[in-house]
Amino acid sequence: MNLPGFLRGMPQVFLQEFRGNLKSVRFLIMALVATLVIVGGAYGISGFTAGFGGGARPIVVWPHAAVDGSGNHIAVAWVSDGFGAPLARRAVTFANMTTRNLIGEVTTNAEGFARLNVGNASEVLVEASLGTFENSASILWGFVEPYNFTVASSQDDLDGDFALDDFSLHVLDLAGDPVAGTVRVNGNVTGSLDAHGFLLLELSPGQWNITLDVAGETFVTTAYVSEGGELPFFTGPDFVLLTIASLSSWIVSIFAIVISFDAVSKERVQGTMDLLLSRPASRTGVLLGKFLSSFVAVALPVTLVNLAGIGAISAASGQAPTGSLATAFVGYSLLLIVYYVFLMLAVSTLVKTSGTAVLFGVLIWLLLNILYPIVTFILSAALSGGDPATQFRINQSAALANPSSIVGALIALAAPAALLGTGGGTALDASALGAAAVFWFLLLFALALWTFQKKASE
Amino acid sequence: MIEVEGVTKVYGGSGGAKALDGVTFRVPKQSVFGFLGPNGAGKTTTIRILATVLEPTEGTVRIDGHNLREEPIAVKERLGLMPDEVLFYPTLTGMQHLLYYASFYAIPRADARAKAKDLLERFSLADAARKKLKAYSHGMKKRLALAQCLLHDPEVLIMDEPANGLDPAGMRYFRDLIRWLNKEGKTIFLSSHMLSEVEQLCERVGIIDRGKIVAVDTIASLTSRLAVGAPTILHVAATGISDTAVEALRAIPGVTNVEATPVGVDVTAEAGSDVSAEVSKVLVLAGAALREIRAEQRSLEDLFLALTRGGGP
């Protein structure tokens, strides 16, 4: 392979160093830590947050007590997502409510229904799961039904607006089949049950009389929607991915520092620098070889772990994160690696020992990831005069001076608008962020190249 | 083959320490050139510049006609460096080292492997070829250092203290090796503290002190120049030298001093005086049993001490 003169030596140095990186204990440790934090965190946070606060539940079991022509009790479960879309081919278990002994397991049909003849059982616990999220409900017989239908209802915060203002109804007849019906809210007809017997209403704050009319029978219930003020607690794959992106940026930057901190200084310590520089290789080629070996050694496991993290979020929450956000997460993590590797190559060239390089690596990490964000947060709070929007803008603008923060802002830029204020969104436009990202790339590349050209042999 | 003209090296910018100051010398093709100087004189800086590791602040270096500043790659392809401190990558084997270094040259992989194997055998390292460098002794590392600089069959070898730290057998091994390499047509730039080594191997030497070249010539020419103006000393081995004989020796015209030694006397005469025949005659007439009269030769060590800080007060 004929390379331009300024790249001579790059492949040789890359291969040699890359092999060394892959065999190193620190590589194995960091790959393991990254896997535990990112994949484990993604799976754990998805499962943990799925049961809390607002946001659509990924799976809802609507329980109904039905009876067949022979008087057998038929336990009916309609399984849908939070918005009423039926979930087919989900396993539903039916168990004795008291003993928890399994009565049977049925897979939902294409319409989301699972039905099981439970004989004369009077209390059945029905349960279905999606990823790590489970939903269960109880079905009771023995009451005299006042209507020729059964109603299951739920009040949720499906759209993440911090208010339990989404009221859902699911209605079946006593045989366990969907019925037609209309719904009035405070007397005004608002909607009809769909083909599965489901209706979702979004209510404003206040008290509402919900009236259901089915085949001449009227069922009335009351819904109360508070003025809000609940703590914003988002769930869902995008929110989890944004949370993981914050954790990931810490781990990825540490990974890059750990792999590259002594890329140059070790040559000096081992006494191999003069032998290397006397080879027919350009210094640019040697530096780029060292850069690539560190970059690829970090980028490969990090990309795999990030993809596995996205997979874990999808598996745990039953829904994949938004594509653009996932792409930004994976792509901009690579940019973060580039920044830190170039930075550490410059540091590694300037210092005389690997111990000093480690110290500088720790200080740089603390400065960019802890100290700078704290200082800019305090300054933005002081300068904003108490206006949260101004503080947000100042904080975001300050991110332009920190390569770590730029990567975070770029990922936030790709987040859906619904996540604005919870880690998503940015006060900066894409062009400003893009220009800053390119600027930092060029600056750190030039810094690493200049220091290596001038200081590698001293 | 090696042309160094007015090379100056300043560390740490324009106000920094001047390690080399207008260094100029030439090393003819297929010669062994000794490079001498006390510690801190600028030897290693010169070697690192020749090896393209450092760039000179001023001046020109040409190797086989290629300007180091303008054609660094062409220069690198023509030289092999054997540094003083032979430290390698501790986790690589000897063979892996040679293959890694060979990969920088346009040597096909199979040829590089064959060449590396051949060199390891030649330098008695075949059994250790698959051992990691941390298991190598100092002598083994020295031999591997030599092997790595011969991989691409360079025309110029730059050796910094090649026999440093070796036992007498190892030193002799390297001496023979350098002679053989020279016979093979290599031009060898040899820096060494061991003046006896340089004296035995080199036709020409350069002496550097405080960053300046203080002498460049053949050893014979330099020592003869040193002898001009210096007193002549005769080492006399004889028995039965009486006090009368000593007095007679002192009376010889031109003799400035006579000192008794365990084997006879040392007679010092003025510069340019040849008193050996008169000394012989006086001793025989005085009844002494004369075995040998030998005029003291000026050594490279004398030259070194005379020209460098080692010769000062």
Side-chain angles (χ1 to χ4, degrees):
Chain A
M1 182 169 52
N2 287 325
L3 288 172
F6 72 96
L7 291 179
R8 277 194 68 162
M10 184 183 76
Q12 293 88 341
V13 174
F14 164 70
L15 278 176
Q16 161 69 14
E17 302 251 328
F18 182 59
R19 278 196 287 255
N21 282 333
L22 290 190
K23 288 179 189 170
S24 66
V25 174
R26 54 180 136 159
F27 171 82
L28 293 174
I29 291 173
M30 284 311 303
L32 187 64
V33 169
T35 306
L36 286 174
V37 172
I38 297 172
V39 181
Y43 195 76
I45 293 172
S46 298
F48 179 74
T49 58
F52 287 90
R57 286 178 289 171
I59 187 167
V60 183
V61 175
W62 304 91
H64 294 274
V67 181
D68 67 8
S70 308
N72 292 316
H73 292 173
I74 308 296
V76 181
W78 185 61
V79 181
S80 73
D81 67 9
F83 296 93
L87 297 176
R89 296 181 302 282
R90 305 305 311 173
V92 179
T93 59
F94 298 83
N96 182 290
M97 181 80 91
T98 309
T99 63
R100 300 297 166 113
N101 289 334
L102 183 68
I103 300 171
E105 183 176 304
V106 178
T107 302
T108 56
N109 62 17
E111 302 304 317
F113 284 97
R115 296 181 174 86
L116 183 69
N117 185 335
V118 293
N120 61 354
S122 57
E123 296 178 348
V124 169
L125 181 69
V126 58
E127 191 170 272
S129 64
L130 187 64
T132 57
F133 185 72
E134 295 173 346
N135 191 233
S136 60
S138 56
I139 304 174
L140 305 175
W141 288 265
F143 300 98
V144 177
E145 291 293 344
Y147 307 101
N148 286 313
F149 53 87
T150 58
V151 179
S153 64
S154 175
Q155 200 169 335
D156 297 286
D157 175 18
L158 298 178
D159 49 9
D161 59 359
F162 320 137
L164 293 173
D165 55 359
D166 300 300
F167 190 87
S168 308
L169 284 168
H170 187 247
V171 186
L172 299 180
D173 63 21
L174 294 181
D177 296 318
V179 295
T182 55
V183 174
R184 286 174 283 146
V185 177
N186 282 1
N188 300 315
V189 174
T190 308
S192 303
L193 300 175
D194 67 11
H196 302 105
F198 179 82
L199 178 66
L200 170 63
L201 301 168
E202 182 163 356
L203 304 174
S204 305
Q207 184 171 314
W208 304 96
N209 292 320
I210 312 291
T211 308
L212 172 65
D213 297 312
V214 176
E217 293 183 292
T218 301
F219 168 87
V220 179
T221 186
T222 302
Y224 177 76
V225 178
S226 74
E227 291 290 338
E230 298 169 48
L231 282 176
F233 196 99
F234 279 81
T235 61
D238 287 340
F239 176 75
V240 175
L241 186 57
L242 269 178
T243 308
I244 289 300
S246 301
L247 280 175
S248 170
S249 76
W250 284 13
I251 296 298
V252 168
S253 52
I254 291 171
F255 202 159
I257 289 171
V258 165
I259 292 296
S260 60
F261 76 93
D262 64 347
V264 178
S265 62
K266 75 179 172 200
E267 299 274 5
R268 200 174 281 131
V269 172
Q270 289 169 170
T272 48
M273 182 63 90
D274 283 9
L275 280 177
L276 178 61
L277 295 180
S278 68
R279 305 291 154 190
S282 74
R283 295 208 178 185
T284 306
V286 172
L287 178 81
L288 288 178
K290 287 183 174 291
F291 164 76
L292 278 180
S293 66
S294 295
F295 172 75
V296 177
V298 180
L300 267 180
V302 161
T303 302
L304 291 175
V305 164
N306 282 349
L307 290 173
I310 292 168
I313 291 171
S314 307
S317 61
Q319 189 182 348
T322 304
S324 58
L325 178 60
T327 306
F329 169 61
V330 174
Y332 292 133
S333 293
L334 300 180
L335 185 62
L336 190 66
I337 299 168
V338 169
Y339 286 159
Y340 273 90
V341 171
F342 273 137
L343 194 55
M344 288 317 296
L345 283 176
V347 169
S348 189
T349 307
L350 287 171
V351 301
K352 298 294 179 199
T353 67
S354 297
T356 317
V358 170
L359 186 64
F360 272 100
V362 171
L363 290 175
I364 286 170
W365 188 88
L366 287 173
L367 174 70
L368 298 184
N369 292 279
I370 306 291
L371 192 61
Y372 186 86
I374 289 174
V375 169
T376 53
F377 178 79
I378 293 170
L379 284 177
S380 63
L383 294 172
S384 64
D387 175 27
T390 307
Q391 184 180 353
F392 184 63
R393 271 198 302 278
I394 294 173
N395 225 6
Q396 293 273 301
S397 300
L400 295 176
N402 179 350
S404 270
S405 303
I406 283 177
V407 170
L410 283 167
I411 295 173
L413 190 69
L419 292 177
L420 188 69
T422 62
T426 169
L428 302 167
D429 62 36
S431 57
L433 271 174
V438 171
F439 169 78
W440 274 103
F441 173 82
L442 294 175
L443 178 73
L444 294 173
F445 172 60
L447 178 69
L449 192 59
W450 183 84
T451 51
F452 193 77
Q453 295 275 8
K454 297 291 175 192
K455 305 287 181 187
S457 51
E458 290 184 5
Chain B
M1 177 56 91
I2 302 175
E3 300 164 274
V4 178
E5 286 174 26
V7 166
T8 297
K9 178 65 186 176
V10 179
Y11 287 111
S14 55
K18 192 179 265 189
L20 296 181
D21 187 2
V23 168
T24 299
F25 62 85
R26 283 165 191 260
V27 179
K29 195 166 187 171
Q30 296 179 3
S31 66
V32 183
F33 183 83
F35 195 55
L36 306 171
N39 290 336
K43 292 196 304 293
T44 300
T45 300
T46 305
I47 284 174
R48 296 182 84 209
I49 287 174
L50 290 179
T52 72
V53 174
L54 282 180
E55 269 196 25
T57 310
E58 287 174 22
T60 309
V61 176
R62 281 193 178 80
I63 290 182
D64 199 19
H66 296 279
N67 190 309
L68 186 146
R69 210 186 288 270
E70 292 161 5
E71 305 168 273
I73 298 290
V75 170
K76 286 165 187 270
E77 283 171 342
R78 283 164 175 77
L79 62 86
L81 170 68
M82 182 179 173
D84 178 14
E85 287 188 54
V86 280
L87 300 166
F88 294 93
Y89 302 100
T91 55
L92 293 190
T93 67
M95 176 61 93
Q96 285 170 334
H97 269 95
L98 296 188
L99 291 177
Y100 173 48
Y101 286 134
S103 69
F104 287 93
Y105 304 92
I107 309 172
R109 179 91 176 160
D111 293 353
R113 186 170 282 281
K115 179 85 177 173
K117 197 175 168 211
D118 177 49
L119 285 167
L120 288 168
E121 279 171 9
R122 185 180 301 175
F123 297 139
S124 309
L125 291 170
D127 292 342
R130 306 209 173 279
K131 285 185 182 167
K132 289 183 177 173
L133 260 286
K134 54 192 175 189
Y136 276 43
S137 69
H138 182 74
M140 290 164 81
K141 285 181 183 171
K142 280 277 185 187
R143 280 179 273 149
L144 186 68
L146 188 60
Q148 62 79 27
C149 75
L150 294 174
L151 272 169
H152 54 295
D153 200 20
E155 293 155 60
V156 177
L157 294 174
I158 295 169
M159 298 178 159
D160 194 3
E161 305 286 354
N164 197 15
L166 296 178
D167 59 20
M171 288 165 70
R172 182 167 190 163
Y173 176 85
F174 262 90
R175 208 159 49 227
D176 293 344
L177 204 60
I178 288 168
R179 285 197 186 102
W180 174 76
L181 288 168
N182 184 228
K183 275 185 191 162
E184 291 285 304
K186 308 289 182 202
T187 303
I188 298 170
F189 182 92
L190 175 70
S191 166
S192 178
H193 274 105
M194 296 179 188
L195 300 179
S196 60
E197 290 285 323
V198 173
E199 214 161 11
Q200 289 179 64
L201 290 167
C202 306
E203 306 104 58
R204 287 167 60 83
V205 294
I207 299 178
I208 188 170
D209 189 32
R210 296 184 178 94
K212 291 184 178 176
I213 293 289
V214 293
V216 183
D217 209 335
T218 62
I219 294 174
S221 172
L222 286 172
T223 50
S224 64
R225 262 194 272 162
L226 182 66
V228 173
T232 305
I233 299 172
L234 297 177
H235 298 290
V236 179
T239 54
I241 301 174
S242 63
D243 291 344
T244 312
V246 172
E247 287 307 314
L249 288 172
R250 287 202 174 112
I252 295 171
V255 170
T256 57
N257 190 31
V258 178
E259 272 184 29
T261 66
V263 295
V265 290
D266 280 353
V267 179
T268 307
E270 291 170 352
S273 304
D274 184 1
V275 296
S276 56
E278 198 65 22
V279 167
S280 170
K281 182 180 169 185
V282 164
L283 289 173
V284 171
L285 290 176
L290 183 63
R291 289 203 305 274
E292 182 189 33
I293 295 180
R294 182 172 50 84
E296 184 177 277
Q297 297 293 313
R298 292 286 153 179
S299 68
L300 187 57
E301 185 177 343
D302 297 318
L303 182 70
F304 182 79
L305 292 172
L307 293 175
T308 66
R309 282 167 286 179

